[in-house]
């Protein structure tokens, strides 16, 4: 149920509604909009329906939510969520390029890549210290040493960074270094991890599970939001289909649909969706045109020797060319970049 307060509702009237909801063990989530305050009631549907909410002072209307997700829906919050990390705003109508190596392998490779992507226009650095690998014998990441290098690169190149967290026990560690935590495709349905990052005050990048529907993906975001962390950035990274010519199939349709259903910003990852470097440029152009809030791209100075995902990594100079064509499209569409 969503309770929309009148434009002139007082703090006290809002509190009365919250108290009534809490009296039946219901959670009340408050969203303060430009015109109205909206209260999202999460709890036993039948019990909520029995409360005479519309009779309370200051209440404009109480609307049952038919969607299976509430807090991340447009019904709950009409205005777009804007996330800010170290002065970089994501979701405010501008376009945010995130780039860097898939994994932190060494100081040299990380710094070389960070310098190049920054020069080409990326505003957020990516790089992982914990890698989810199909084989337990593959490179698993440099762990805390990798996070320390990322933090040094942040200072050197003045770029906030995003890094993956794989285990609920590592959330505090990764959050103590990173500006944004990432939940990867394999962990989108790891509810213990989603709950733990939801309790953190570090923004979260939530990648789409490669077998997840939009509804499942939005419900995963709901797990995070429900715990209090409202800074969630969705990333479409391709889904598994019958097609085997690319690693996964980038679901371009997900972007406008998600924007209709939810107030959360959404990026496209052309690297992990395609798994092929020659597809990164055309998919990046599509990302701007379809209305994504940004891109996340794997870049490596020597992809042939990369410890992870070399086949999809593009060279720094290729990234600069991608940025140029992305800028051209953004300019035509009057998107600030
Ligand atoms: C990544 O971004 O490095 C990654 C592992 O992506 P995904 O979880 O989408 O496969
Ligand atoms: Mn990767």
């Amino acid at each position: 149920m969503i309770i929309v307060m009148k434009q002139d509702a007082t703090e006290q009237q809002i509190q009365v509604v919250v108290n009534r909801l809490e009296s039946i063990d219901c959670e009340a989530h408050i969203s303060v909009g430009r015109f109205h305050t909206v209260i999202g009631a999460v709890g036993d549907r039948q019990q909520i329906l029995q409360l005479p909410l519309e009779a309370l002072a200051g209440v404009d209307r109480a609307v049952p939510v038919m969607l299976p997700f509430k807090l991340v829906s447009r019904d709950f919050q009409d205005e777009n969520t804007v996330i800010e990390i170290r002065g970089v705003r994501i979701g405010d109508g501008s376009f945010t390029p995130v780039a860097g190596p898939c994994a932190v392998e060494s100081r040299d490779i990380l710094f070389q890549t960070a310098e190049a992507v920054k020069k080409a226009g990326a505003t957020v650095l990516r790089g992982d210290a914990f890698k989810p690998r199909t084989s337990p014998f593959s490179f698993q990441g440099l762990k805390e040493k990798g996070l320390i290098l990322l933090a040094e690169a942040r200072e050197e190149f003045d770029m906030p960074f995003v890094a993956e967290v794989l285990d609920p026990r590592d959330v505090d560690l990764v959050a103590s270094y990173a500006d944004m935590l990432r939940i990867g495709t394999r962990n989108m349905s790891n509810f213990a991890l989603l709950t733990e990052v939801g309790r953190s005050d570090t923004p979260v990048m939530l990648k789409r599970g490669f077998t997840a529907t939009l509804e499942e993906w939005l419900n995963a975001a709901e797990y995070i939001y429900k715990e209090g962390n409202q800074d969630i950035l969705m990333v479409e990274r391709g889904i598994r289909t019958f097609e085997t010519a690319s690693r996964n199939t980038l679901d371009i349709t997900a972007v406008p649909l998600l924007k209709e259903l939810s107030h959360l910003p959404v990026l496209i990852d052309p690297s992990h969706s395609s798994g092929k470097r020659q597809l990164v440029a055309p998919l990046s152009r599509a990302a701007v045109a379809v209305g994504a809030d940004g891109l996340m791209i794997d870049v490596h100075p020597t992809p042939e020797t990369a410890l992870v995902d070399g086949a999809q990594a593009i060279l720094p100079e290729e990234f600069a060319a991608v940025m140029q064509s992305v800028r051209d499209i953004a300019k035509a569409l009057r998107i600030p970049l």
Side-chain angles (χ1 to χ4, degrees):
M1 179 79 82
I2 282 173
I3 300 105
V4 183
M5 301 301 292
K6 288 187 176 142
Q7 227 168 316
D8 58 358
T10 64
E11 288 289 324
Q12 206 190 350
Q13 289 170 335
I14 294 169
Q15 198 51 50
V16 169
V17 177
V18 171
N19 293 347
R20 284 302 287 271
L21 291 168
E22 287 178 351
S23 73
I24 55 160
D25 282 336
C26 182
E27 280 176 30
H29 297 268
I30 300 176
S31 160
V32 183
R34 206 151 14 117
F35 301 113
H36 295 273
T37 290
V38 174
I39 303 168
V42 183
D44 185 278
R45 193 183 168 84
Q46 285 313 318
Q47 270 190 297
I48 299 171
L49 283 171
Q50 275 162 22
L51 285 181
L53 293 167
E54 284 187 333
L56 295 178
V59 173
D60 184 43
R61 56 190 192 279
V63 200
V65 183
M66 297 307 168
L67 295 167
F69 45 89
K70 297 180 179 62
L71 305 171
V72 302
S73 75
R74 284 262 179 219
D75 289 350
F76 179 57
Q77 182 184 309
D78 192 35
E79 287 156 46
N80 291 333
T81 286
V82 177
I83 301 170
E84 187 162 342
I85 46 171
R86 292 192 176 233
V88 177
R89 286 165 64 80
I90 308 169
D92 64 351
S94 63
F95 193 82
T96 305
V98 181
C102 180
V104 181
E105 300 174 19
S106 69
R107 183 191 177 87
D108 193 34
I109 292 174
L110 176 65
F111 275 50
Q112 226 180 302
T113 314
E115 185 175 16
V117 298
K118 165 90 187 192
K119 196 162 155 240
T123 51
V124 178
L125 177 65
R126 64 149 292 147
D128 287 335
F130 293 90
K131 288 308 303 177
R133 305 306 302 281
T134 303
S135 162
F137 306 114
S138 301
F139 175 64
Q140 305 283 317
L142 297 181
K143 316 260 163 52
E144 190 167 6
K145 219 175 113 206
L147 293 169
I148 292 169
L149 291 174
L150 282 160
E152 285 174 15
R154 166 176 58 208
E155 298 314 313
E156 181 77 20
F157 304 106
D158 189 25
M159 289 172 96
F161 76 88
V162 55
E164 180 152 358
V165 57
L166 295 174
D167 187 317
R169 292 167 295 189
D170 293 329
V171 169
D172 287 345
L173 173 72
V174 181
S176 71
Y177 291 97
D179 302 291
M180 183 176 270
L181 301 167
R182 200 177 72 247
I183 303 290
T185 193
R186 296 166 176 86
N187 271 319
M188 190 213 79
S189 305
N190 181 338
F191 302 119
L193 184 58
L194 296 174
T195 300
E196 204 54 39
V197 298
R199 291 178 181 157
S200 165
D201 51 18
T202 302
V204 179
M205 177 187 270
L206 177 63
K207 296 192 93 172
R208 180 179 184 177
F210 58 84
T211 60
T213 62
L214 286 193
E215 192 177 306
E216 288 161 343
W217 186 18
L218 285 163
N219 267 303
E222 196 90 346
Y223 266 91
I224 301 170
Y225 202 101
K226 181 178 176 298
E227 294 303 318
N229 194 341
Q230 306 182 351
D231 288 334
I232 307 168
L233 173 58
M234 308 291 271
V235 180
E236 162 59 41
R237 51 79 64 216
I239 47 177
R240 188 169 276 180
T241 66
F242 54 81
E243 183 56 74
T244 53
S246 55
R247 180 203 272 161
N248 290 128
T249 300
L250 179 66
D251 182 10
I252 285 282
T253 317
V255 175
L257 274 177
L258 210 70
K259 293 216 155 272
E260 190 181 312
L261 293 167
S262 173
H263 49 83
L264 298 175
V266 55
L267 301 194
I268 276 185
D269 178 342
S271 308
H272 292 84
S273 50
S274 68
K276 292 188 171 177
R277 71 171 60 91
Q278 71 272 27
L279 298 178
V280 171
L283 296 181
S284 299
R285 294 195 291 269
V288 201
V290 82
D293 295 286
L295 272 168
M296 182 162 76
I297 298 182
D298 274 13
V299 178
H300 197 287
T302 49
E304 62 289 355
T305 64
L307 296 177
V308 191
D309 284 347
Q312 72 199 31
I314 58 173
L315 294 165
E317 53 270 32
E318 291 168 334
F319 177 70
V322 168
M323 282 300 297
Q324 193 47 56
S325 60
V326 160
R327 242 182 241 116
D328 291 344
I329 296 173
K331 195 167 163 212
L333 297 173
R334 296 190 183 79
I335 298 166
L337 171 60

